Every structure is written in C-alpha cells, then in structure tokens.
C-alpha cells in the first residue's frame, strides 16, 4: 500500500484532529511521509505562522521516525503570497471569479452550488463549468503550485443533482484544454480520493475519462486522500492505485525531504505499491 499522504487537514483549518494526532496515526499506518496542507482561501484560512511553527515542532519531535512536510492548499482566488512560506503548494479551485459580496465556495453545499449557478450563470451549468475550467487552467500561472488539487471539483454534487453531463463535449472540452495547458507547466496532478470516500460512484477527482487523457498528455500524478480526520488518512488509496494503473499510469509521485532539507518529488512504480 501507498505509505504517504500530502493532502491533510487538521484542527488548524477545518479538520477534526490535531496535527500531532495525525502524525501519530500516520506512524501507526507505517507512513514514511506525511504532508499537511492547511487551507488558505477566503472561506477558511489559518494563522500561517502558528501552523508552520507547529509542523516544525512535530518535525523535530518525530525526526527519524517519519518525514513531516509543511504544505498548504492554496485557493486559486486567494493571495498567492502565502505560498512562499510553504514547502509545497496544492493549487485548488473552490471559488469562481465572480463578484459576490461574500466568498461562495462551489463545494460547500449543493444549495449554494445551485444558487451560484442561478445567480451568476443564469442556471447554465455548462457555462459555470467552463468558467471553472478557465480558472483551473490558470492554476500554475496564478499560484505557481506544485500540485493541482481535485481537478474536476465542479462535479462535486453531480451524483445528487445530475446537472452536468460529464460525457458531453461541451463539458469536457474546456476541462481537457485546461489539463493539457497545465501538463505543459509540468505540475503534478492529484488523484484525490475525496470523491470516492464520499461515495461518488466509485470515482476519483479527476474522473476516469479525464484521467485517461491525463495519461495521454504525459501528466504526472500523486495520490492523496484529502483527509479531514485521521481515520480517513489512507482511505481510497488501493482504489486509486488500481484506477491509475487501469488508466495507463506506471508511476506515482511522492514528496520527500532530500538530504539538504529541500522538498522534492520522487517517482515510485505503481506496481510496487499495489
Ligand atoms: Zn480543496
Ligand atoms: Zn483539501
């Protein structure tokens, strides 16, 4: 099994467990690395220095037992300045570029999702998803992120709402365009188990169709659980590894500190973590 996760939330943002509880659980699971990725967005953001200090304390305390990394999950619409303090950045798109009085995340509740589409896109879900992918396509330019988080989050409520036909060209062409552009920037795409863990028809973000294209574009991947509680730290990993192999990928990336304390990607054979 995969022995690392790099998309982890704690009580310092919207997670249920403290960073130390997460570290203890990760050691329990035999993890070699654990990467924290607290939210930095308009809906939820941390006191960055407090967060980094705590991760640093844990890194020293558990040195030699587990490699602890201080990342952030930066939102596409948030001030990218904070990324320079993190060891790695997951660039995610939870908000659209709309002039709302208050921040309106697309993944918070289905009622909010529907109301954003009604108010800003005249109930046209295809034009809403196009706006989403236009913004996602700029992830690297805006955030200089290392990883693109949950690429097709726009379909978060699609099982319940069935408002977007994911097999229609109108939906997937803007998605593929964004994906191809991001592949040229050499960012790593996350296979995010959040969708699978919340019961979305046994799919990940990105869905199987997009994943197959990602492989054709030469995209690189990392597998993350997007855990908000310690019990879900490795949830969905076996499924994600199987899915990645099925979509043609040979390697999965992990992040680790090199000998000089710098965080680097390293490729591992998917067949070795099966
Ligand atoms: Zn997210
Ligand atoms: Zn997250």
């Amino acid at each position: 099994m995969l022995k690392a996760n790099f998309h982890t939330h704690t009580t310092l943002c919207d997670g249920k467990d403290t960073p130390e509880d997460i570290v203890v659980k990760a050691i329990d699971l035999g993890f070699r690395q654990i990467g924290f990725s607290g939210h930095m967005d308009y809906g939820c953001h941390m006191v960055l220095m407090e967060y980094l200090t705590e991760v640093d304390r844990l890194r020293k305390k558990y040195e030699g037992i587990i490699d602890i990394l201080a990342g952030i999950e930066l939102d596409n619409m948030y001030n990218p300045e904070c990324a320079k303090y993190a060891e790695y950045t997951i660039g995610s798109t939870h908000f659209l570029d709309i002039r709302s009085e208050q921040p309106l995340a697309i993944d918070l509740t289905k009622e909010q999702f529907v109301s954003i589409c009604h108010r800003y896109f005249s109930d046209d879900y295809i034009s809403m998803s196009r706006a989403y992918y236009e913004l996602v396509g700029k992830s690297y330019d805006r955030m200089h992120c290392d990883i693109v988080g949950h690429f097709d989050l726009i379909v978060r409520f699609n099982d319940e709402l069935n408002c977007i036909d994911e097999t229609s060209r109108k939906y997937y062409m803007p998605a593929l365009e964004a994906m191809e552009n991001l592949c040229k920037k050499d960012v790593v795409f996350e296979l995010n188990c959040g969708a699978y863990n919340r019961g979305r028809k046994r799919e990940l973000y990105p869905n199987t169709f997009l994943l197959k294209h990602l492989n054709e574009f030469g995209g690189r991947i990392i597998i993350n659980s997007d855990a908000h509680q310690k019990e879900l730290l490795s949830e969905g990993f076996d499924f994600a590894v199987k899915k990645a192999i099925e979509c043609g990928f040979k390697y999965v990336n992990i992040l680790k500190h090199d000998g000089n304390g710098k965080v680097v990607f390293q490729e591992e054979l998917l067949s070795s973590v099966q």
Side-chain angles (χ1 to χ4, degrees):
M1 201 186 73
L2 213 54
K3 300 283 188 192
N5 182 53
F6 303 96
H7 192 151
T8 318
H9 298 286
T10 70
T11 44
L12 298 181
C13 57
D14 61 349
K16 289 205 175 81
D17 299 296
T18 64
E20 187 147 16
D21 286 342
I22 295 280
V23 169
V24 170
K25 179 69 184 183
I27 294 168
D28 226 38
L29 288 166
F31 275 22
R32 296 185 195 101
Q33 291 86 19
I34 180 73
F36 291 103
S37 61
H39 283 292
M40 291 306 280
D41 63 58
Y42 286 112
C44 176
H45 51 264
M46 308 175 292
V47 181
L48 202 49
M49 287 311 142
E50 181 192 323
Y51 167 73
L52 296 172
T53 305
E54 175 61 2
V55 176
D56 198 46
R57 180 185 77 81
L58 294 171
R59 179 182 301 132
K60 285 175 186 141
K61 182 168 173 184
Y62 294 95
E63 196 178 350
I65 302 168
I66 189 167
D67 188 12
I68 301 177
L69 295 84
I72 55 167
E73 183 180 11
L74 175 64
D75 187 82
N76 216 331
M77 294 302 295
Y78 200 68
N79 183 354
E81 269 292 287
C82 51
K84 67 182 180 203
Y85 300 104
E87 289 186 296
Y88 67 94
T89 302
I90 300 175
S92 294
T93 304
H94 311 93
F95 297 86
L96 299 176
D97 193 2
I98 47 177
R99 272 158 195 79
S100 53
E101 307 84 61
Q102 68 202 62
L104 297 169
I106 54 155
D107 65 327
L108 194 63
T109 63
K110 64 174 188 286
E111 289 75 20
Q112 180 156 302
F113 178 81
V114 168
S115 116
I116 297 170
C117 190
H118 178 67
R119 182 143 181 218
Y120 298 96
F121 299 93
S122 314
D123 297 313
D124 180 352
Y125 288 94
I126 289 296
S127 96
M128 183 175 176
S129 64
R130 197 183 310 118
Y132 169 80
Y133 284 116
E134 270 170 24
L135 194 57
V136 171
K138 295 174 190 157
S139 297
Y140 183 80
D141 294 340
R142 294 172 77 107
M143 297 182 275
H144 291 281
C145 49
D146 305 290
I147 298 167
V148 176
H150 43 60
F151 179 78
D152 55 351
L153 186 69
I154 192 76
V155 296
R156 162 89 164 84
F157 300 111
N158 214 27
D159 271 7
E160 290 162 83
L161 297 173
N162 205 16
C163 54
I164 300 171
D165 176 3
E166 289 173 64
T167 66
S168 80
R169 280 178 66 83
K170 276 187 182 161
Y171 166 72
Y172 70 69
M173 285 311 284
L176 292 180
E177 198 179 312
M179 184 175 263
E180 194 172 11
N181 284 336
L182 288 169
C183 283
K184 287 177 194 151
K185 312 279 180 179
D186 206 29
V187 286
V188 172
F189 282 72
E190 168 184 82
L191 264 66
N192 181 306
C193 303
Y196 171 81
N197 291 341
R198 293 176 196 113
R200 201 182 106 75
K201 281 188 195 152
R202 304 185 70 75
E203 282 283 14
L204 304 164
Y205 301 120
N207 72 19
T208 309
F209 174 84
L210 295 171
L211 269 179
K212 286 182 175 162
H213 281 275
L214 179 62
N215 181 50
E216 282 166 21
F217 293 144
R220 295 188 296 149
I221 56 164
I222 191 164
I223 293 174
N224 284 327
S225 62
D226 197 351
H228 286 69
Q229 61 190 90
K230 59 179 192 246
E231 291 79 12
L232 297 178
L233 212 47
S234 62
E235 196 71 11
F237 278 3
D238 289 342
F239 178 78
V241 168
K242 249 175 68 192
K243 183 64 83 178
I245 293 171
E246 179 193 318
C247 292
F249 292 93
K250 295 241 167 350
Y251 297 95
V252 61
N253 281 270
I254 58 148
L255 284 164
K256 59 184 286 192
H257 284 103
D258 68 2
N260 304 313
K262 209 176 149 251
V263 166
V264 291
F265 281 110
Q266 181 179 295
E267 283 188 328
E268 294 195 349
L269 267 172
L270 276 162
S271 55
S272 73
V273 293
Q274 230 179 333

